[in-house]
Amino acid sequence: MTSHQLAHILEVMERERLSWQEMKKRYPDRWLLIVDYETDGADRLVSGFVAYHSTDMHQVAQAPTQSDRIAFRYTGESTFRGLRSYAHRYAL
Amino acid sequence: MRTVTPFDTSQHHIHTEFFVKDESGRHLRFDGVIDTGAPWTEFSDEFLARAGLVELSDDEIPIKLELGTQKYAKILLPSITICGHTIDDFKVMVSRFDPAWGIAALIGLDFFRRFKVTIDYGQGVLVCEPLSV
């Protein structure tokens, strides 16, 4: 076992596996870096370890991790309403 | 192969999880929105940079208020998997996204024109079947 692999195992052992519902409650309106996630039969993320969280997408996008199973998710409600909505908002 | 992918019908748009292979071969999982009004798939430059597929520009990329994104480059993704279907060397637009959207990509018609697609709101599923040649 390499030192990187050992470090990763220790890193994960210190964390608590959370369900996606628990992540949304514990880290509302934040970007998450989730590692060692598990999926359901429909291949949807159902649980994992939150390796990093922030309201700043850039910080989460660049956060380091040793895991091979990496997911990025936002726990808030998406404000995306379609590109056309922008045109309507700024129409003359 | 016909695939059936569930989605949350309570959300304003159809969100779906997808994978991109990064420069070291790891699969990164993201959340995206199906955008049937977009001819091309757009990808957040922040997450493409994470995957090692682009370098972030030092220049400020403004988001055009009337559009919501700012496309500024095109790249070939080595591999992307959406709704259980993997496509290699898939061309996407590199865009600056509004972080409040909470997504990494807008999945456009360039992906879906390769499939027979059924959006079934009754069952809350996307059914994708490759077009027979």
Side-chain angles (χ1 to χ4, degrees):
Chain A
M1 181 181 297
T2 67
S3 59
H4 271 302
Q5 288 169 325
L6 180 60
H8 173 59
I9 289 171
L10 292 173
E11 180 183 291
V12 167
M13 285 174 65
E14 290 173 3
R15 298 202 187 101
E16 179 185 1
R17 177 173 290 279
L18 299 175
S19 69
W20 172 238
Q21 297 304 324
E22 289 170 328
M23 290 180 205
K24 287 198 290 187
K25 276 187 183 175
R26 192 174 294 189
Y27 306 105
D29 301 322
R30 297 180 82 82
W31 282 91
L32 307 182
L33 167 58
I34 304 164
V35 300
D36 299 334
Y37 59 81
E38 291 183 343
T39 56
D40 62 12
D43 198 32
R44 290 174 293 193
L45 187 150
V46 291
S47 71
F49 297 90
V50 177
Y52 193 82
H53 61 90
S54 173
T55 55
D56 186 333
M57 181 180 79
H58 178 76
Q59 286 186 7
V60 174
Q62 303 308 321
T65 180
Q66 297 292 328
S67 175
D68 287 330
R69 288 176 68 79
I70 304 168
F72 297 90
R73 297 292 293 272
Y74 182 65
T75 59
E77 185 177 349
S78 171
T79 63
F80 181 71
R81 291 294 179 267
L83 300 182
R84 199 170 291 125
S85 67
Y86 281 78
H88 287 166
R89 192 187 307 167
Y90 294 97
L92 294 175
Chain B
M1 178 184 65
R2 179 176 178 270
T3 59
V4 179
T5 306
F7 66 90
D8 183 355
T9 57
S10 69
Q11 291 192 282
H12 199 271
H13 285 80
I14 299 174
H15 287 247
T16 189
E17 297 177 45
F18 64 97
F19 300 95
V20 168
K21 196 180 282 188
D22 74 6
E23 60 179 350
S24 61
R26 296 190 299 185
H27 284 91
L28 308 183
R29 176 182 282 257
F30 301 101
D31 186 25
V33 158
I34 305 301
D35 188 350
T36 57
W40 304 104
T41 294
E42 292 186 40
F43 212 107
S44 159
D45 58 352
E46 300 265 6
F47 290 110
L48 287 173
R50 169 53 186 253
L53 301 174
V54 300
E55 288 188 10
L56 283 181
S57 168
D58 290 333
D59 299 331
E60 181 66 21
I61 307 294
I63 295 176
K64 288 182 182 174
L65 292 176
E66 71 274 19
L67 292 176
T69 64
Q70 179 57 64
K71 298 184 274 288
Y72 64 89
K74 296 176 192 172
I75 65 160
L76 281 180
L77 291 181
S79 173
I80 185 168
T81 303
I82 306 172
C83 295
H85 296 278
T86 300
I87 299 178
D88 295 333
D89 298 327
F90 185 62
K91 184 172 23 175
V92 298
M93 299 291 178
V94 181
S95 291
R96 178 61 48 92
F97 275 30
D98 183 340
W101 287 359
I103 55 175
L106 296 171
I107 311 298
L109 294 177
D110 49 347
F111 181 83
F112 287 98
R113 64 169 53 104
R114 298 165 183 245
F115 301 93
K116 178 184 177 185
V117 180
T118 303
I119 300 174
D120 184 341
Y121 260 91
Q123 299 294 320
V125 295
L126 275 171
V127 182
C128 292
E129 191 170 0
L131 295 174
S132 53
V133 180

